[in-house]
Amino acid sequence: MRIGVLGTGMVGQGLGQGLAERGHEVKIGSRTPDSETVREWLAGAGQGASAGTFAEAADFAELAILATAWSGTENALRLAGAERLAGKVVMDATNPLDFSTGAPALAVGHTDSAGERVQRWLPQARVVKAFNTVGNALMVDPQVPGGPPDLFICGNDEDAKRQVSELAQSLGWPASLDLGGIESSRYLEPLAMVWILYGARNNHWTHAIKLLGKAGA
């Protein structure tokens, strides 16, 4: 599959490399595709990896991964072009974090969410919220005591969620836990804050979330 990754931070790099190692063609998109960060990623990501602008990554993608910092997400999607992502699955791994007071807080919540905003910005795309409640170090082949952890997803399109779940399984996750429509991002994004606050208080970033007693267990 051709996968376009929008964002060159640790999340985008980690997911992109993991998917390239599994035989996918991966193009990572950036405002500065010739940057040292991108060149270093390309050197380690393997033969199936390439880089380009946000627009080039969006055009290339059969499935796109949104992995930008929240402060740059709307502009990145504007540069990518909603028309280039129309009809495509867009896996949204963002969290709407606000660092204006120093400590992280949610910039969006209660009656809206980052996931819903991304769907509004990309009205013809099939947005699935996923990978926002785990740190980048555990996004590929997560190994934790008491694991494996659970991956929570939500979105309005059932086939899109199936594709994201299958992609996650290829990265070492068990079956994803589907929470319904994209509005469930209102609950997944605060759940990410639980992960963040625990990590910040304990200086520990290799923890993950698991639902016990789930159906089928």
Side-chain angles (χ1 to χ4, degrees):
M1 180 183 288
R2 295 193 310 276
I3 296 174
V5 179
L6 306 180
T8 57
M10 298 303 292
V11 171
Q13 290 185 44
L15 288 172
Q17 181 165 344
L19 291 165
E21 289 172 348
R22 284 155 177 78
H24 297 282
E25 296 179 70
V26 178
K27 184 179 287 293
I28 198 165
S30 171
R31 295 177 182 82
T32 54
D34 295 325
S35 69
E36 183 178 352
T37 296
V38 174
R39 290 198 301 270
E40 289 178 355
W41 179 81
L42 287 171
Q47 187 175 1
S50 61
T53 63
F54 286 128
E56 289 168 338
D59 192 51
F60 172 85
E62 294 175 291
L63 180 150
I65 296 174
L66 181 59
T68 51
W70 180 246
S71 58
T73 297
E74 184 175 9
N75 188 51
L77 292 177
R78 187 180 297 114
L79 293 171
E83 71 283 358
R84 295 185 181 90
L85 295 168
K88 298 179 180 180
V89 177
V90 176
M91 191 182 86
D92 171 25
T94 67
N95 280 306
L97 299 180
D98 175 7
F99 293 93
S100 61
T101 62
L106 289 178
V108 182
H110 299 297
T111 59
D112 200 4
S113 64
E116 289 169 280
R117 290 192 179 188
V118 170
Q119 183 65 84
R120 291 197 298 270
W121 292 332
L122 302 174
Q124 294 180 291
R126 297 181 289 158
V127 177
V128 178
K129 174 68 78 174
F131 284 94
N132 75 301
T133 60
V134 64
N136 64 278
L138 292 175
M139 287 184 172
V140 178
D141 292 326
Q143 301 293 325
V144 292
D150 287 320
L151 186 72
F152 301 93
I153 66 172
C154 65
N156 296 336
D157 186 283
E158 296 300 319
D159 182 64
K161 288 188 284 190
R162 177 190 59 78
Q163 290 186 50
V164 168
S165 182
E166 290 176 354
L167 204 66
Q169 283 186 291
S170 77
L171 292 173
W173 290 81
S176 304
L177 303 185
D178 184 356
L179 300 187
I182 194 64
E183 66 276 4
S184 291
S185 298
R186 300 177 191 182
Y187 315 115
L188 287 182
E189 291 159 11
L191 185 59
M193 285 297 302
V194 173
W195 185 90
I196 292 166
L197 292 173
Y198 176 84
R201 288 183 63 86
N202 294 278
N203 193 29
H204 176 83
W205 300 103
T206 56
H207 54 291
I209 296 172
K210 185 175 181 69
L211 183 66
L212 301 178
K214 54 185 177 286

